[in-house]
Amino acid sequence: MLETFETVSKAVADRSRARILKLLEGGELCVCQITTVLDLAPATVSKHLAMLKVAGLLQQRRDGKWVYYRLAERDLNHCARKFLALIGGCLNEDPAVEEDRRILAMVNAVPVQVLCDQGRAALGPNAEASKATTCCGGPV
Amino acid sequence: MLETFETVSKAVADRSRARILKLLEGGELCVCQITTVLDLAPATVSKHLAMLKVAGLLQQRRDGKWVYYRLAERDLNHCARKFLALIGGCLNEDPAVEEDRRILAMVNAVPVQVLCDQGRAALGPNAEASKATTCCGGPV
DNA sequence: CCATCATTTCGACATATTGGAAAGTAATGG
DNA sequence: CCATTACTTTCCAATATGTCGAAATGATGG
């Protein structure tokens, strides 16, 4: 039990992984979508996802070339279930999480294939700059 | 918010600190009591306690030479409150946590002064060995 | 004051963790 | 088959973490 608790809590106790969990509250995403939002190397994201999966927080599904991850719904340990519930009630107004959701909206507007080919460039020239300037042409 | 979440979750995501939080569910304890139960160096325990306090999970009170820690009740952030509630519902049947409670019962049977002087030796010769043998003379 | 003692801080060390580049896998489409 | 492609695994560097011993701190009792 303590081992499970430690695994799950350590999985959650990282900025990038917390962001991933919050992202997936909106539904399943493939690795390249998550990678684009987080703006990290694919290897890094893959490792984070593996860790969350080992902790029982995520589940996986393959669809052709793409691998989709989602929040665990069945067969998850007691501990993981509680942590997911906790996180669901946290961070909803966090600026970084909100920014991720904003980027995710753009990501969802682009076919996965294009995203894999172009990465963040597929989101248009404003996706990156919008962090600094929101005056003219920036979203919202 | 994410910063707070990270601080609190990292504070919780350690075996020793989780044990401390479970210990304190029974009420406040002074550092030497916690040290005796965990069987770690005072410096180590002190650092863990400081980390839990910074995260807003613990509060502190001085009584003469002794410093007592307890689970935070007031002035704790949203996040810390949720984590404390989660932990309260976890690990209650964990063997290590139960063993800690068993040792704590022995610790509580000894005056704090004696505990500080003698450490684990104050618990009697069986406190340590009981982990290996419970056949003859071992508690319960 | 001064000695004592519970606790904390500092310094050091071993280990763990995060992140990325490069090589390896697995599935798709010729 | 073979090339391509999305993802994973394997290294490796940089940093963070857990633990302890030694020194510092802060309160107590002469």
Side-chain angles (χ1 to χ4, degrees), chain B residues 1 29 31 34-35 38 55 59-60 84 91 99 102 120 125 127 131 137:
Chain B
M1 295 196 62
L29 294 170
V31 179
I34 300 170
T35 300
L38 295 190
Q59 285 164 350
Q60 200 182 30
L84 281 182
L91 302 173
E99 170 73 2
R102 212 177 54 70
R120 277 226 161 186
K131 288 175 186 172

Side-chain angles (χ1 to χ4, degrees), chain A residues 52 91 114 138:
Chain A
L52 290 166
L91 302 174
V114 177

Side-chain angles (χ1 to χ4, degrees), chain B residues 14 16-17 41 43-44 47-48 62 64:
Chain B
D14 172 82
S16 300
R17 290 191 292 269
T44 305
K47 219 194 283 189
H48 283 314
R62 179 157 215 138

Side-chain angles (χ1 to χ4, degrees), chain A residues 10 14 16-17 41 43-44 47-48 51 62 64-65:
Chain A
K10 274 189 201 307
D14 172 82
S16 301
R17 291 193 291 271
T44 304
K47 228 185 297 184
H48 283 312
M51 220 173 302
R62 179 157 215 137
K65 300 200 282 191

Side-chain angles (χ1 to χ4, degrees), chain B residues 4-140:
Chain B
T4 305
F5 178 87
E6 218 183 339
T7 304
V8 176
S9 57
K10 274 192 203 303
V12 161
D14 172 82
R15 186 184 183 83
S16 300
R17 290 191 292 269
R19 287 170 67 198
I20 291 175
L21 291 174
K22 294 307 284 183
L23 267 183
L24 291 176
E25 284 176 8
E28 69 173 12
L29 294 170
C30 81
V31 179
C32 72
Q33 292 176 305
I34 300 170
T35 300
T36 302
V37 175
L38 295 190
D39 209 14
L40 290 173
T44 305
V45 172
S46 188
K47 219 194 283 189
H48 283 314
L49 290 168
M51 221 174 300
L52 290 166
K53 193 186 158 201
V54 165
L57 294 161
L58 297 187
Q59 285 164 350
Q60 200 182 30
R61 148 182 105 81
R62 179 157 215 138
D63 180 14
K65 299 201 280 189
W66 292 285
V67 176
Y68 287 84
Y69 283 88
R70 64 181 181 282
L71 297 185
E73 288 152 3
R74 269 166 302 185
D75 308 328
L76 72 174
N77 59 71
H78 191 64
C79 203
R81 190 180 300 276
K82 293 207 168 194
F83 269 93
L84 281 182
L86 185 151
I87 290 168
C90 279
L91 302 173
N92 292 312
E93 279 103 41
D94 178 79
V97 170
E98 284 178 347
E99 170 73 2
D100 283 348
R101 290 205 189 104
R102 212 177 54 70
I103 304 278
L104 178 59
M106 290 192 272
V107 164
N108 279 328
V110 172
V112 179
Q113 183 60 72
V114 176
L115 201 67
C116 287
D117 292 345
Q118 307 180 19
R120 277 226 161 186
L123 305 185
N126 293 343
E128 210 46 60
S130 61
K131 288 175 186 172
T133 165
T134 52
C135 58
C136 34
V140 181

